[in-house]
Amino acid sequence: MRFFKVFFCLIFLVAGFSFSFPNSRFSGAVPADGDDYSTYYSLKKKKRFYNTFFICPETVKTSFKSDSYYVVTKEEFYSLLDWKDLPLLLNNDIFAFYGNPRSKKMGILGEYSLEDLEPILLEYAGAYDAANGESRGVIPALYLIYGTCLPEGKIGYLPENIVKKYIDYAAQRGWLVFLDHQIGRYSVESAMEKLLHFLKYPNVHLALDPEWSTDRPMEVTGSITGEELNSAQKIMSDYISSHNIPGNRILVVHQFKPMMIKNPSVVSGNFTSVNLVHCADGFGNPPLKRLTYKNNTKIKSMPVKAFKLFFKGPVEGAGYDDPLMTPEEVYTLEPKPRVIMYQ
């Protein structure tokens, strides 16, 4: 059945169709993956909602009364959707501040209290909201390094009470929280097991950072395989299903060197309730960062991209972006990153 749904949509995409239906305002080709979805119009037939071109391609189903073909306007489109089943990135970008709340050396989250951080976060999120156009919104987020890689690849965890404090603060404001595990000398599967219980909070999403998947941090750049990334997604998907957790959750994976994700062609984005996002990491000048992002875009198995930027922090000798790219410059990247974070 899924084959026929995808095939149906691809026929219209290739044809670049333009129809005129009674009581409709549809014209033009089907939007491609990554296009602006606020101007989406969708073709429906016989209690099926045909749309395979979300940011993470998937089919959304809904029922409606008529059995005939017709096209919905933008307003009708939104009224018919079951929002809990849709990717957050459908019509929003995410802007996050990254770090470890207990360390000034590990990002902006460690430099400010939540109260002092809030106006800074909202100012930057507002700048990205202005830069990404009227049709897309921006959701603020806090991106916590939950599992930090220590010497010999051991992992130090943030205390649960601190994590809960950030989750609650964010939830009260409609923000998201990402919990990042640096893996260390342990398996990807064990890293995921440490994160899963936080999915009971509706605003929590997860992340893995292969750079630190090593027992020699700061000496050797770590790596994971495409197979391990699939395993992480399956673990996350199975947990969401078995615990009856509604909606989709994001899993971010970081990369700034090709070897950090080995055999990436096998990576799948078809795990139920999991939206995989591929983040270009690493500090440097704009040309270097653009090159890193371009290299990441060559991995077509992970079409949804993210971009990380680095403030100049208080620690002497720590790497940072010089100069820091502006929101307008970030949005010149192709495809446009849908999650943007600053460390």
Side-chain angles (χ1 to χ4, degrees), residues 95-108:
F95 179 85
F97 275 168
Y98 174 106
N100 184 323
R102 305 182 84 187
S103 174
K104 293 183 179 181
K105 299 179 179 180
M106 299 177 67
I108 191 170

Side-chain angles (χ1 to χ4, degrees), residues 118-169:
E118 181 172 356
I120 307 171
L121 174 63
L122 293 178
E123 179 182 357
Y124 273 85
Y128 274 89
D129 195 18
N132 72 353
E134 295 182 1
S135 58
R136 291 188 68 83
V138 168
I139 304 173
L142 304 171
Y143 205 113
L144 280 69
I145 306 173
Y146 171 65
T148 300
C149 186
L150 304 174
E152 300 179 356
K154 297 177 182 179
I155 295 292
Y157 292 99
L158 279 178
E160 298 274 322
N161 65 317
I162 292 180
V163 177
K164 185 64 163 56
K165 175 184 175 181
Y166 277 74
I167 291 172
D168 289 345
Y169 194 90

Side-chain angles (χ1 to χ4, degrees), residues 234-260:
K234 185 177 188 305
I235 289 169
M236 187 171 171
S237 177
D238 289 348
Y239 185 89
I240 290 171
S241 176
S242 64
H243 289 75
N244 297 313
I245 296 172
N248 290 271
R249 300 300 176 93
I250 294 170
L251 176 63
V252 180
V253 60
H254 292 252
Q255 182 177 16
F256 62 88
K257 290 183 177 181
M259 51 74 62
M260 287 173 59

Side-chain angles (χ1 to χ4, degrees), residues 224-237:
I224 63 173
T225 67
E227 290 84 356
E228 287 174 314
L229 187 50
N230 285 340
S231 176
Q233 292 183 85
K234 185 177 188 305
I235 289 169
M236 187 171 171
S237 177

Side-chain angles (χ1 to χ4, degrees), residues 260-278:
M260 287 173 59
I261 302 177
K262 298 177 179 179
N263 199 18
S265 63
V266 305
V267 175
S268 171
N270 294 324
F271 292 90
T272 303
S273 301
V274 177
N275 299 135
L276 184 64
V277 174
H278 184 208

